[in-house]
Amino acid sequence: MTTKKETNLQILGMTCAACANRIEKGLNKIEGVEQANVNLALETVSIKFDPTKTNLQNFEEKIRDLGYDVVSEKAEFTITGMTCAACANRIEKGLNKMDGVAAATVNLALETATVEYNPSVVSPKDMIEKVEKLGYGAIEKRDEEKANVDYREQAIQRQKRKFIISAILSLPLLWTMFAHFSFTSWMYVPDIFMNPWFQLALATPVQFIIGKQFYVGAYKALRNGSANMDVLVAMGTSAAYFYSLYLVLRSLGAHHHIEGLYFETSAVLITLILLGKYFEAKAKGRSSEAIKKLMGLQAKTATVIRDGVETIIPLEEVVVGDHLQVKPGEKIPVDGIIISGESAIDESMLTGESVPVDKKAGDTVIGATINRNGSLRIEATKVGKDTALAQIIKVVEQAQGSKAPIQRLADKISGIFVPIVVGIALITFLVWYFIVDPGEFAVALEKLIAVLVIACPCALGLATPTSIMAGSGRAAEYGILFKGGEHLERTHNITTVILDKTGTITNGTPVLTDVIVENGWQNGEFLRLVGTAEKNSEHPLAEAIVSGIQEKGIALGKTEQFEAIPGFGIKAVADGKEILIGTRKLLDQYHIDFTVASKTMQQLEENGKTAMLAAIDGKLAGIVAVSDTVKDTSKAAIKRLKEMAIEVIMITGDNERTAKTIGEQVDVDRVIAEVLPEGKAEEVKKLQQQGKIVGMVGDGINDAPALATADIGMAIGKGTDVAMEAADITLIRGDLNSIADAIFMSKKTITNIKQNLFWAFAYNTIGIPIAAMGFLAPWLAGAAMAFSSVSVVLNALRLQRVKL
């Protein structure tokens, strides 16, 4: 019988009973929902559901699809005590089962958990208690930051100390192994080392003090109805230790050498596993090096000017609106606007471009970039977590902490792996004891231990997350920000790339080139009215028109009304006159005759210029034309994409002639012109229906729907916040070469993951039978197991050396 669950969600945005009914109906249509009741007064919904068929995340997505919002928060935790993929899976499942948790992801490599939850149902404290109940430790990231403690580094140092003590105690026991082989019989072994009581005295602290972590981990895992690497290690080493203890106690009074002792096996195994864990932890620390590098870019202090006095203060004390002095050679502390001064700014940390960018008063600057040669005074506009660098760090952390779809296979296998291995080990023992070498308990035990130890699933659990960490971190260094592991995985499958024209293929900074007046208008008055209307628009073409008019020394007036009509143009009222500026379709819509200007428009467009009609008080008043230059790198970048067998399409709201002129310049495969913002998303869907995997690249608000619809949305870094929010990848450099680089990095990362998974599977597939057949001594199996995990992490770290 299926257990029904009930959960409550807080909803934002409901205004009437119709809203409540709409949400209720939508939720009740979800498979697995037994009943959903919305309370408009309390702004809540109560849902009874079958957890085997649906979950909280589906409810939240449905509510958001209907146009409302759900109160949800995200918490990040540092998790301690995990030893393998089975541990991560157990914590993840435990958190996901909690009422109020929408989604929980545990990353073994980063030793973190990210949980999206409903704060009215569950709290971070509840989650920590859940993790602790499962047998692990958890601390919320913000508490960790407040405490200014690096728990991972502390864990590494503890592991190092344990290994050193274990190695010192195990070395004499390892030495006794030389007495077991004929080819090493010439080596001197002190008699004391062969004394069974001496061996017992050395092995016991290693087994129960140093090795306590394995017993604790195994107990907690079994208590929660699952098994992990600790179970295998505890079983294998305990079998060796207690069998040896039994032989010693059976020979009480004997001070001479006793045959068949395995104290060295248990102690050396624990030592080797600790060594492997130490190397693994160090290597995992290197795989998150990108985050440390990004954090290291931040300035530590800032020179603030308050009440006319310059004072050096910690970066954390800078507030929005502060005026800061930045001297030549200094890092710019926060994002801001230059108030006075000129300088060349090294933005390579942000864009990857080595050539400094000239900046003057009125220009924006980004925190952590370097002021090369001039003294600047800036006003802080974004500080702390709102700065561009902080947002980049956040995106990289999210990507490194997310889970790629390819990891699901490894997770499923890890979940059932340990019980299967224990079964194989027991069968191995029985076969050796009753068939291969009848009655030889010690021989059969040795084979059982070898199978248990070599089968550790650590390599399997680390195969995917370490590659995702290293790959996304390396991409970030080149200004390519993947928002999640799933996007990093999917990008290499792209077959078609759609490029927006303005600001993507072109520089996005067009200039006013032509002004043609009609119907008796004076040039100056015509431009004053056009500039006054356009100054309210955020479109790059509008900015070019306004800038060009102001450069002519024409003062602009005030608008009384303004309306942007996406894909068509603008409508405004200034000086009591109604002004329309935009496409032919806009004037057609208002039944304004522009026949007299048609030939001039055509000529301008054939020259690659964007021409806009202007009408005042219902009559054509003239034409303004702007020209946007193609980026220097666009043609070469598009050629690279075509060489990768990727179809390249340019899409724009611009007219057919202008679009084709630009398209021919950069040699795209296809041009789709005169497309409205919602039409861009429709064009993406058409290509998807043809079975193509579509990557959409854009930079404006009007690109957001298409970016969200595409299989992979890429926002050019200098675009709007809305575009970046809708995209799966942000290309900070604004260079189209970053598209090919992102696809290349995705391919490299997926290849690396597949290599890791292959070797992790192959290692266990080959290693277990070899151990079962008796060709591996337990200590050698332990060394091989440790090497497998370290080798997987080291292979992933190769991604940090990839050149783009």
Side-chain angles (χ1 to χ4, degrees):
M1 184 178 171
T2 305
T3 304
K4 299 292 182 186
K5 284 185 71 175
E6 186 170 347
T7 190
N8 293 289
L9 298 173
Q10 190 83 34
I11 301 174
L12 301 177
M14 291 192 295
T15 56
C16 61
C19 299
N21 291 338
R22 190 168 173 234
I23 295 169
E24 207 167 84
K25 284 179 182 177
L27 291 171
N28 279 312
K29 285 179 182 177
I30 297 174
E31 185 185 359
V33 172
E34 188 178 283
Q35 188 177 20
N37 293 310
V38 176
N39 187 315
L40 179 61
L42 294 176
E43 295 184 317
T44 61
V45 60
S46 174
I47 310 167
K48 287 182 182 176
F49 64 99
D50 180 349
T52 63
K53 293 181 180 178
T54 188
N55 57 39
L56 191 61
Q57 193 170 11
N58 292 336
F59 308 149
E60 292 193 0
E61 286 174 2
K62 185 65 178 177
I63 291 166
R64 289 188 175 112
D65 286 345
L66 291 169
Y68 305 93
D69 205 358
V70 182
V71 176
S72 66
E73 291 184 13
K74 187 177 280 188
E76 292 184 355
F77 303 91
T78 295
I79 306 293
T80 57
M82 291 192 295
T83 56
C84 65
C87 300
N89 289 341
R90 188 177 316 111
I91 297 168
E92 197 169 278
K93 285 178 183 176
L95 289 170
N96 277 313
K97 284 179 182 176
M98 295 180 74
D99 284 337
V101 170
T105 304
V106 176
N107 187 305
L108 174 63
L110 278 175
E111 295 175 337
T112 60
T114 303
V115 187
E116 192 175 333
Y117 66 99
N118 183 340
S120 63
V121 180
V122 69
S123 70
K125 186 181 177 184
D126 297 329
M127 298 172 208
I128 291 171
E129 287 174 0
K130 180 67 175 177
V131 173
E132 289 172 348
K133 191 177 177 183
L134 291 168
Y136 305 91
I139 181 167
E140 201 172 353
K141 282 271 189 179
R142 58 188 178 191
D143 292 338
E144 185 178 349
E145 287 165 5
K146 283 178 190 173
N148 198 24
V149 177
D150 189 338
Y151 288 93
R152 170 176 281 186
E153 187 57 36
Q154 284 186 352
I156 291 172
Q157 291 307 315
R158 275 198 305 272
Q159 205 79 327
K160 183 180 179 181
R161 285 194 297 272
K162 282 183 179 181
F163 163 70
I164 292 170
I165 296 167
S166 186
I168 292 169
L169 293 171
S170 301
L171 190 59
L173 295 171
L174 180 63
W175 201 330
T176 65
M177 295 177 71
F178 295 123
H180 297 170
F181 308 111
S182 57
F183 61 88
T184 56
S185 58
W186 55 271
M187 293 186 70
Y188 170 69
V189 180
D191 288 339
I192 185 69
F193 286 8
M194 301 305 293
N195 186 299
W197 298 100
F198 178 75
Q199 291 187 20
L200 177 64
L202 292 177
T204 300
V206 175
Q207 187 71 35
F208 298 109
I209 300 175
I210 305 295
K212 179 184 175 183
Q213 66 186 69
F214 301 113
Y215 284 106
V216 171
Y219 166 72
K220 288 175 178 176
L222 294 170
R223 185 187 67 187
N224 288 290
S226 61
N228 62 0
M229 177 203 123
D230 291 331
V231 173
L232 297 179
V233 175
M235 284 181 68
T237 58
S238 294
Y241 176 86
F242 285 110
Y243 175 66
S244 302
L245 179 62
Y246 161 73
L247 293 179
V248 172
L249 295 175
R250 195 179 70 174
S251 307
L252 277 172
H255 296 283
H256 54 80
H257 170 57
I258 298 173
E259 292 291 337
L261 294 183
Y262 285 95
F263 285 126
E264 80 280 358
T265 298
S266 63
V268 171
L269 276 177
I270 287 172
T271 303
L272 285 171
I273 291 165
L274 288 174
L275 178 62
K277 285 287 170 191
Y278 173 66
F279 283 151
E280 186 184 302
K282 291 286 285 182
K284 284 193 292 189
R286 281 176 57 203
S287 64
S288 58
E289 200 69 33
I291 297 286
K292 294 175 185 172
K293 282 183 182 176
L294 288 169
M295 288 179 168
L297 292 172
Q298 293 174 317
K300 301 294 183 288
T301 60
T303 304
V304 66
I305 303 166
R306 291 174 181 167
D307 299 323
V309 180
E310 288 189 12
T311 311
I312 297 175
I313 61 172
L315 184 67
E316 298 76 27
E317 294 180 14
V318 177
V319 296
V320 173
D322 270 343
H323 285 198
L324 308 172
Q325 189 70 34
V326 187
K327 297 173 184 174
E330 288 185 343
K331 284 183 180 178
I332 292 169
V334 295
D335 296 3
I337 296 175
I338 298 175
I339 300 169
S340 62
E342 293 183 6
S343 183
I345 307 296
D346 180 354
E347 295 185 339
S348 57
M349 55 71 61
L350 186 72
T351 64
E353 297 295 337
S354 56
V355 179
V357 181
D358 291 331
K359 300 269 186 175
K360 60 183 186 303
D363 289 340
T364 58
V365 288
I366 305 297
T369 55
I370 299 171
N371 178 25
R372 282 294 179 203
N373 52 22
S375 186
L376 298 174
R377 181 171 290 195
I378 67 169
E379 180 181 335
T381 56
K382 290 182 180 178
V383 300
K385 61 182 176 57
D386 296 323
T387 63
L389 182 62
Q391 291 300 309
I392 291 169
I393 291 170
K394 182 182 175 184
V395 170
V396 176
E397 283 180 331
Q398 285 175 347
Q400 294 192 339
S402 64
K403 189 173 287 190
I406 198 171
Q407 193 174 336
R408 290 176 193 146
L409 174 64
D411 287 348
K412 284 180 182 176
I413 292 170
S414 297
I416 60 171
F417 188 75
V418 175
I420 291 173
V421 169
V422 172
I424 293 171
L426 291 173
I427 292 169
T428 301
F429 175 83
L430 295 172
V431 169
W432 276 87
Y433 186 72
F434 290 107
I435 300 171
V436 181
D437 211 341
E440 288 294 331
F441 183 84
V443 173
L445 181 68
E446 188 175 282
K447 311 312 174 197
L448 175 142
I449 295 167
V451 170
L452 288 174
V453 171
I454 200 165
C456 172
C458 294
L460 200 57
L462 291 167
T464 302
T466 46
S467 294
I468 293 290
M469 287 166 64
S472 58
R474 184 59 170 168
E477 291 176 30
Y478 282 92
I480 301 164
L481 303 182
F482 290 93
K483 284 192 180 175
E486 66 274 23
H487 309 311
L488 181 57
E489 179 178 336
R490 286 210 319 267
T491 299
H492 81 287
N493 292 320
I494 288 174
T495 59
T496 302
V497 168
I498 300 178
L499 303 172
D500 177 52
K501 178 178 79 71
T502 306
T504 302
I505 290 177
T506 64
N507 284 303
T509 51
V511 292
L512 180 65
T513 56
D514 298 85
V515 179
I516 296 110
V517 293
E518 302 283 353
N519 292 327
W521 277 92
Q522 293 297 313
N523 202 65
E525 181 61 12
F526 170 75
L527 286 176
R528 188 182 72 80
L529 289 171
V530 167
T532 300
E534 287 282 20
K535 74 177 181 180
N536 295 286
S537 174
E538 293 180 354
H539 197 285
L541 299 182
E543 290 176 7
I545 292 168
V546 172
S547 179
I549 292 170
Q550 288 177 328
E551 283 174 8
K552 295 178 186 291
I554 297 171
L556 305 181
K558 291 183 180 180
T559 51
E560 291 142 40
Q561 292 178 31
F562 176 83
E563 180 188 355
I565 308 169
F568 289 89
I570 65 159
K571 178 183 177 184
V573 175
D575 291 351
K577 300 181 187 297
E578 184 182 78
I579 304 162
L580 294 169
I581 305 168
T583 63
R584 295 174 177 85
K585 288 180 181 178
L586 179 67
L587 267 64
D588 273 337
Q589 199 175 41
Y590 285 86
H591 310 294
I592 295 171
D593 181 22
F594 55 86
T595 311
V596 67
S598 295
K599 190 174 180 182
T600 307
M601 284 276 287
Q602 186 175 333
Q603 288 173 342
L604 291 167
E605 287 164 356
E606 284 172 354
N607 291 328
K609 297 175 182 178
T610 300
M612 283 158 281
L613 295 162
I616 300 173
D617 286 339
K619 289 185 179 180
L620 178 70
I623 303 170
V624 286
V626 297
S627 179
D628 187 8
T629 55
V630 172
K631 290 177 183 175
D632 295 337
T633 55
S634 290
K635 187 171 183 177
I638 289 166
K639 184 182 177 185
R640 272 183 73 193
L641 289 171
K642 291 169 79 170
E643 286 170 352
M644 295 169 79
I646 293 171
E647 179 187 19
V648 183
I649 298 171
M650 185 182 87
I651 194 165
T652 178
D654 220 333
N655 66 81
E656 188 91 26
R657 291 189 188 88
T658 304
K660 280 190 174 177
T661 302
I662 299 293
E664 286 168 4
Q665 284 180 39
V666 294
D667 196 24
V668 294
D669 293 308
R670 245 175 90 199
V671 173
I672 305 174
E674 299 181 18
V675 183
L676 298 175
E678 58 270 25
K680 291 183 181 180
E682 286 303 315
E683 293 295 336
V684 170
K685 286 178 185 174
K686 285 179 189 175
L687 290 165
Q688 289 171 328
Q689 286 163 4
Q690 295 169 26
K692 295 177 179 179
I693 309 297
V694 181
M696 171 71 197
V697 187
D699 76 324
I701 291 172
N702 62 351
D703 298 321
L707 290 169
T709 305
D711 295 284
I712 292 291
M714 302 186 196
I716 291 289
K718 293 178 182 176
T720 64
D721 291 341
V722 176
M724 291 187 197
E725 193 63 38
D728 305 309
I729 303 171
T730 299
L731 310 174
I732 296 176
R733 285 186 295 172
D735 180 348
L736 294 194
N737 275 301
S738 294
I739 304 168
D741 288 342
I743 295 169
F744 175 75
M745 199 70 223
S746 172
K747 285 181 178 177
K748 280 284 186 185
T749 304
I750 295 305
T751 300
N752 192 274
I753 289 172
K754 288 176 178 176
Q755 289 169 351
N756 281 348
L757 288 173
F758 171 79
W759 287 113
F761 281 124
Y763 166 79
N764 285 307
T765 305
I766 297 167
I768 292 173
I770 290 174
M773 287 186 286
F775 296 121
L776 273 180
W779 69 270
L780 194 58
M785 183 272 285
F787 174 75
S788 70
S789 297
V790 175
S791 63
V792 160
V793 177
L794 292 176
N795 184 53
L797 290 177
R798 292 192 307 117
L799 289 169
Q800 293 188 333
R801 296 194 298 273
V802 170
K803 301 288 183 187
L804 297 180

